[in-house]
Amino acid sequence: MVTSPSRTQGSSRLDSGPIHASPLEAIADSKKRSSSHLAWSPLTLPTTPLFGTDGIRGKVGDLLSAPLAMQVGFWAGQILRTYAQTSGTVILGQDSRHSSDMLSSALSAGLTAAGLEVWNLGLCPTACVAYLANKTDSLGGVMISASHNPPEDNGIKFFGSEGTKLPQAMQAEIEAALRGDINVLSTQTEWGQHFYRPELVKDYTESLHQPLLKTTNLQGLRIVLDLAWGAAVQVAPEVFRQLGAEVICLHDRADGDRINVQCGSTHLGALQAAVVHYQADLGFAFDGDADRAIAVDSQGRPVDGDYILYLWGHTLKNAGLLPENTIISTVMANLGFERAWEKLGGTLIRTAVGDQYVHAEMVKTGAMLGGEQSGHILCRHYGISGDGLLTAAHIAAIVKESGTPLAALIDSSFQTYPQLLRNVRVEDRQTRLNWQECDPLQQAIATATQDMGDRGRILVRASGTEPVIRVMVEAASAELANHWADNLVLAVQRYLT
């Protein structure tokens, strides 16, 4: 067991339910007992919720600031302690954005002010924080990252002591505390400490390749990795070389100015060209915090999360490791994937977009595999959170063990329905999150839905991670999909911007 460099904490696992009716009530009680108080400057907060589908995310200097991060850390520490009935450690990691150091330091100051011990991993993938939160006696973990967003954005996302996303109820309590009386706060009689613990990242790295080393050697495979100037630059090459692969890396330095810029899982052009140029067997692109991965086959064709779920699901099904042959995905999953999986005797269950919803449905149904088209994949046999490196390693192992090129595996799987995803930037947060109240836009969606009938489907939603409205149109023909995607994008621009 990993312990503190200064002292060993008592048990700090979160209990299954709150000790008090509400942690906020306990905090309020402690304020009454206090004889002195910490004082914070008032924050200007938006009226819309701070926590989205993946924590608090936004432009640094706008929504995200050092004062906000410090107070988020303090209140999160208070609530985590109240649920766990003890002080303890919190695992902290970050990506390569220039603002990550500032936000990490501010958040740590808040957590230590709440009496907690912070173990700072430094640069690491999000899944590393989740893994260590689960494997150590910690109260939870925090990752400073805006995932696939551009360099000027950043985010704060929390994990509980089991390594899964912090429950929405606890996030709501942190936000409620932030919006309360922040001028007079409870006094701590015990202050926390901050320790730099980058050596712990090695434990996570070994957890990725150790299960595969027993059965798989990637020797003979040439693999290109696009590391997006982000959190995986130190870890990913080591994992694949340990497994025996020949590795070629792109964008393989931590660079806060260029993280995700025309590279990584949302911009595949560089990876596609490199795989073809180097005559590689396959390639993988990660996003800024490496919690998602998109593959590219030897012909340079993208292999998204739908194909990854199909291939991994097929392998687990044949091994008798997929309960009820069920895969959990989201409303974005392609109809071609769903119908092909059903032909194999499988079941696809859809959830709202967001890996927390996928995970919740997996727990509810007992499913072992789930994920999103964007490349967030969760396999409970091997991990507890979306992990791009874990996903990539297992897909490479499937290719190696099958003796079949990835391109051939894709050709024999399924054909996707034409699916268009358009993003319309809507800067006003209130307008964006309340888009469903726009009657003219609702009428435009109803008209498109009626016209398409059973030939396709439409999904319009506000992004939980970016200031955009996402318009997805999927249809039996590209012409039909293009027609209604264009019409709906114009409607969003006309009525919301």
Side-chain angles (χ1 to χ4, degrees):
M1 178 183 294
V2 180
T3 58
S4 167
S6 63
R7 63 182 182 271
T8 301
Q9 299 285 352
S11 175
S12 58
R13 288 289 180 200
L14 293 180
D15 295 331
S16 59
I19 304 304
H20 305 276
S22 166
L24 297 181
E25 294 178 7
I27 294 169
D29 289 342
S30 71
K31 289 166 64 175
K32 294 175 183 177
R33 293 191 300 268
S34 299
S35 58
S36 60
H37 302 86
L38 293 170
W40 304 93
S41 299
L43 294 172
T44 301
L45 300 175
T47 57
T48 50
L50 289 177
F51 283 89
T53 56
D54 204 21
I56 301 173
R57 189 176 297 189
K59 184 174 291 187
V60 179
D62 182 5
L63 173 65
L64 282 176
S65 64
L68 174 68
M70 187 179 298
Q71 294 191 39
V72 167
F74 178 82
W75 282 112
Q78 290 283 350
I79 289 167
L80 287 171
R81 287 188 64 180
T82 304
Y83 272 97
Q85 288 189 298
T86 181
S87 61
T89 59
V90 174
I91 307 297
L92 176 62
Q94 67 180 70
D95 68 16
S96 61
R97 295 165 208 272
H98 291 314
S99 59
S100 291
D101 284 343
M102 175 267 289
L103 293 173
S104 174
S105 297
L107 193 89
S108 178
L111 289 166
T112 54
L116 302 185
E117 185 173 295
V118 176
W119 290 358
N120 186 354
L121 308 177
L123 183 72
C124 67
T126 286
C128 179
V129 173
Y131 173 81
L132 289 170
N134 175 255
K135 293 298 182 180
T136 63
D137 270 341
S138 71
L139 299 182
V142 193
M143 180 68 182
I144 306 296
S145 176
S147 194
H148 61 281
N149 283 31
E152 60 268 21
D153 291 349
N154 217 322
I156 303 171
K157 48 186 167 184
F158 287 92
F159 296 88
S161 63
E162 301 303 321
T164 56
K165 294 286 179 66
L166 202 65
Q168 288 184 323
M170 292 180 70
Q171 293 184 16
E173 289 172 349
I174 295 171
E175 182 163 342
L178 282 167
R179 296 181 183 278
D181 181 5
I182 58 173
N183 290 316
V184 182
L185 301 180
S186 59
T187 294
Q188 293 304 128
T189 57
E190 176 184 348
W191 305 108
Q193 298 184 66
H194 178 111
F195 297 96
Y196 186 49
R197 304 294 306 274
E199 78 281 0
L200 297 180
V201 176
K202 184 178 179 181
D203 294 346
Y204 162 71
T205 303
E206 291 180 350
S207 76
L208 295 176
H209 58 64
Q210 284 297 332
L212 290 172
L213 282 174
K214 302 173 184 177
T215 59
T216 303
N217 188 326
L218 300 183
Q219 188 172 1
L221 286 186
R222 178 178 293 175
I223 299 175
V224 182
L225 303 178
D226 183 346
L227 305 172
W229 310 111
V233 294
Q234 298 169 352
V235 176
E238 177 185 349
V239 169
F240 281 91
R241 288 176 181 137
Q242 286 281 345
L243 289 170
E246 177 186 351
V247 178
I248 299 168
C249 293
L250 308 176
H251 315 120
D252 57 346
R253 289 183 291 107
D255 190 330
D257 285 326
R258 293 189 283 180
I259 184 172
N260 296 321
V261 176
Q262 296 302 312
C263 62
S265 61
T266 55
H267 299 88
L268 296 175
L271 178 62
Q272 291 170 294
V275 168
V276 173
H277 174 77
Y278 290 109
Q279 298 182 327
D281 296 284
L282 69 163
F284 295 100
F286 307 101
D287 60 344
D289 68 337
D291 65 349
R292 67 169 72 180
I294 297 291
V296 167
D297 69 17
S298 59
Q299 300 175 30
R301 298 180 300 180
V303 179
D304 66 16
D306 288 347
Y307 283 107
I308 290 171
L309 287 171
Y310 181 91
L311 294 178
W312 205 350
H314 199 182
T315 300
L316 293 173
K317 176 178 177 291
N318 289 343
L321 296 174
L322 198 65
E324 305 296 325
N325 296 331
T326 295
I327 294 175
I328 310 299
S329 191
T330 75
V331 291
M332 293 297 296
N334 194 278
L335 280 172
F337 163 40
E338 181 175 19
R339 291 176 181 175
W341 184 244
E342 289 173 346
K343 285 183 180 179
L344 291 180
T347 299
L348 181 71
I349 298 176
R350 296 177 184 265
T351 73
V353 174
D355 62 338
Q356 62 180 311
Y357 302 113
V358 172
H359 178 263
E361 189 67 23
M362 291 174 69
V363 171
K364 175 183 173 183
T365 61
M368 299 301 290
L369 181 67
E372 301 183 87
Q373 191 181 74
S374 61
H376 282 108
I377 308 296
L378 297 93
C379 183
R380 296 173 65 201
H381 289 298
Y382 304 104
I384 54 174
S385 67
D387 189 339
L389 302 186
L390 177 70
T391 297
H394 280 267
I395 293 302
I398 289 170
V399 171
K400 175 70 175 189
E401 292 170 5
S402 69
T404 304
L406 179 59
L409 292 174
I410 296 302
D411 287 339
S412 63
S413 58
F414 62 89
Q415 291 291 319
T416 59
Y417 281 41
Q419 186 183 81
L420 298 177
L421 178 62
R422 306 276 179 83
N423 294 324
V424 184
R425 198 166 186 89
V426 179
E427 294 289 353
D428 186 81
R429 184 181 175 91
Q430 190 79 20
T431 300
R432 187 172 69 249
L433 295 183
N434 295 316
W435 71 270
Q436 290 173 306
E437 298 176 8
C438 178
D439 291 337
L441 179 55
Q442 291 294 339
Q443 183 57 51
I445 295 170
T447 299
T449 301
Q450 183 177 4
D451 179 83
M452 293 180 68
D454 61 1
R455 296 178 297 165
R457 63 192 186 97
I458 294 166
L459 178 66
V460 178
R461 65 183 183 89
S463 170
T465 58
E466 297 179 87
V468 298
I469 295 290
R470 303 198 194 279
V471 177
M472 189 278 286
V473 179
E474 187 175 80
S477 71
E479 181 181 9
L480 187 62
N482 270 300
H483 172 75
W484 284 114
D486 289 343
N487 274 270
L488 292 174
V489 165
L490 286 173
V492 173
Q493 291 172 336
R494 178 179 303 168
Y495 301 119
L496 297 184
T497 62

